[in-house]
Amino acid sequence: MIMYENLIMGGGEITSQGTFKTDNGAFYLFIAPKSESASSVAVLNVKLSRNKQNTDYPFVAGIWNPVVVNSVDVKATDLQNYRIFWGETL
């Protein structure tokens, strides 16, 4: 039996600022720097799965971060510095 719980099965790119959520409620983030001068760590304002409210949280560029997010408040500067991708499992 193939297990899909830890595989990205759906997703896309976040291209506009504001609050981003998915219909399923939980997802992962991957940030890709747009330039060599962008930091390898981005602090994004997110609602973590077990938190009651949004908090600033660090995300490492270039990997799927193992952090379960329910929403992300995307700022214009986030989009200027990074391509932000979201992915979700089953």
Side-chain angles (χ1 to χ4, degrees):
M1 179 174 166
I2 297 175
M3 302 301 285
Y4 293 107
E5 289 85 20
N6 60 354
L7 299 175
I8 301 293
M9 300 296 290
E13 184 172 0
I14 301 170
T15 58
S16 59
Q17 66 186 52
T19 301
F20 176 84
K21 298 178 181 181
T22 66
D23 292 337
N24 292 334
F27 56 95
Y28 299 97
L29 292 173
F30 182 107
I31 59 170
K34 288 186 173 179
S35 70
E36 289 186 23
S37 63
S39 176
S40 62
V41 175
V43 177
L44 303 176
N45 188 261
V46 297
K47 160 64 175 71
L48 298 174
S49 183
R50 294 213 175 169
N51 283 10
K52 294 185 188 244
Q53 56 192 356
N54 279 29
T55 187
D56 286 343
Y57 203 81
F59 290 86
V60 177
I63 65 167
W64 282 103
N65 286 263
V67 178
V68 180
V69 173
N70 294 132
S71 68
V72 56
D73 183 18
V74 180
K75 311 265 189 284
T77 54
D78 299 331
L79 294 173
Q80 288 169 358
N81 294 321
Y82 304 95
R83 293 182 69 188
I84 304 171
F85 297 90
W86 64 274
E88 59 189 2
T89 62
L90 290 178

